Amino acid sequence: MKKKEKSAGGGANWMDTYGDMVTLLLCFFVLLYSISSVDENKWMALVKSFNPDASPTAQEESGSPGPADVDHEGMSVEETEAVIAQQEEIDESIEQLYQALVEYAEQNQQGSRIETTRGDGYVFISFDDAVFFAGEQYELLPQGQQILKDICAMFDSVESAIDEVRIMGHTAQARADQPNKVRHDRFLASNRATIATVYIQKNSTLDGSRILSEGFGQHRPIDDNSTPEGRGHNRRVEIIITGKDLMSGLGSSVEQYYTQREGGTLAPQGTDAV
């Protein structure tokens, strides 16, 4: 008679259940840790997804700041709100500058020779070449001096909101099938931008560290060089006025220059300009 074989199952099944429980506990504590450093905006979105009328408490009972009191940059809610309010004032000033420039061009019948556009945090102005300079010259014409003087007054009215004013000089390719001579092309574009820059610096309250000039020569055309009209569009001076961006965390353009020069980390949000 054969002996009965012992059953293979039973004895160690409790280990499977125990292992599952430990795994779940580990996941639970990882989740708790991740919530402890949650971003304020994400926390608010999560809470409101469950209850649209909910408002997170200001502090935990322990007295330490909760997710609603400190943002991801380490600023308190009050500090963040103050920065947001300042940024709104800056954006409003840049919008006022844009509207003033558009009105100025229309009133002075320069609408076809001065193009003004508004972007996110900046104003872009493009001047027909004949507004400022005679052909192949970089001496600022009287008409151009008056226009820049009027624009400088607009800059001064919103000076505290401006981060940077960048003046750019462009030329046209004289022949569509042949590029300009490099030396002449570069010098003409750079000299025109520099002359306009010098005039703005002398006639505005903007700090010189925030006024830059660049010469692009023939290399950024906006029209066809094969026609006189197209070349007229390509011969131009442009100005970009950038508003301060307090929320970017990068600091002003001047701060960025000195920080990058030293190979350091860009300035944290809310620091003062150099």
Side-chain angles (χ1 to χ4, degrees):
M1 184 176 181
K2 293 182 180 181
K3 295 182 179 180
K4 293 182 179 179
E5 296 181 359
K6 293 183 179 181
S7 173
N13 286 347
W14 65 274
M15 288 293 291
D16 296 332
T17 304
Y18 179 78
D20 291 340
M21 181 184 70
V22 171
T23 302
L24 290 173
L25 285 173
L26 176 61
C27 293
F28 176 73
F29 284 115
V30 170
L31 178 62
L32 287 179
Y33 177 79
S34 65
I35 291 177
S36 67
S37 58
V38 70
D39 177 80
E40 178 190 352
N41 294 328
K42 293 180 180 178
W43 171 257
M44 291 286 289
L46 176 63
V47 172
K48 290 187 176 182
S49 67
F50 291 102
N51 183 2
D53 299 324
S55 177
T57 57
Q59 290 187 342
E60 304 289 345
E61 292 182 1
S62 63
S64 60
D69 295 278
V70 179
D71 67 8
H72 62 285
E73 296 291 342
M75 296 174 63
S76 69
V77 172
E78 291 76 12
E79 291 172 331
T80 302
E81 289 176 347
V83 171
I84 292 174
Q86 293 175 25
Q87 186 62 56
E88 290 176 349
E89 292 178 1
I90 290 171
D91 294 342
E92 178 62 27
S93 295
I94 297 301
E95 176 63 25
Q96 291 174 2
L97 174 62
Y98 168 68
Q99 296 296 339
L101 287 166
V102 171
E103 184 177 350
Y104 175 79
E106 293 175 349
Q107 289 180 350
N108 290 273
Q109 299 180 347
Q110 299 287 348
S112 61
R113 306 175 77 180
I114 302 177
E115 298 179 6
T116 307
T117 55
R118 172 83 157 92
D120 184 14
Y122 68 89
V123 176
F124 194 106
I125 318 171
S126 183
F127 300 91
D128 186 296
D129 179 62
V131 173
F132 287 162
F133 306 104
E136 298 297 313
Q137 302 296 316
Y138 55 85
E139 188 70 27
L140 194 60
L141 297 172
Q143 178 189 13
Q145 294 181 24
Q146 184 60 53
I147 291 174
L148 283 181
K149 186 176 182 179
D150 294 339
I151 289 177
C152 283
M154 299 180 203
F155 290 168
D156 292 347
S157 67
V158 296
E159 186 269 339
S160 62
I162 294 176
D163 179 37
E164 182 179 274
V165 173
R166 187 179 297 267
I167 298 92
M168 300 171 290
H170 301 267
T171 62
Q173 191 169 312
R175 292 180 54 180
D177 60 342
Q178 181 179 331
N180 298 336
K181 292 183 178 180
V182 175
R183 181 181 176 87
H184 175 75
D185 185 65
R186 288 290 187 178
F187 268 92
L188 181 59
S190 296
N191 287 346
R192 286 178 169 179
T194 300
I195 290 297
T197 300
V198 169
Y199 193 90
I200 290 174
Q201 185 169 341
K202 286 184 174 180
N203 291 275
S204 75
T205 59
L206 288 170
D207 189 274
S209 64
R210 299 188 179 277
I211 310 174
L212 294 83
S213 64
E214 295 178 315
F216 289 102
Q218 64 188 321
H219 300 289
R220 297 195 180 180
I222 57 174
D223 208 337
D224 188 355
N225 281 303
S226 62
T227 66
E229 182 181 8
R231 290 192 294 272
H233 290 159
N234 291 333
R235 291 191 298 266
R236 66 200 189 278
V237 173
E238 298 171 327
I239 302 177
I240 299 178
I241 307 99
T242 307
K244 294 178 180 177
D245 186 359
L246 304 182
M247 306 301 294
S248 70
L250 300 179
S252 70
S253 60
V254 179
E255 286 179 298
Q256 292 179 47
Y257 165 77
Y258 284 108
T259 303
Q260 290 173 329
R261 187 176 185 275
E262 298 298 329
T265 304
L266 290 176
Q269 178 176 330
T271 55
D272 295 329
V274 174

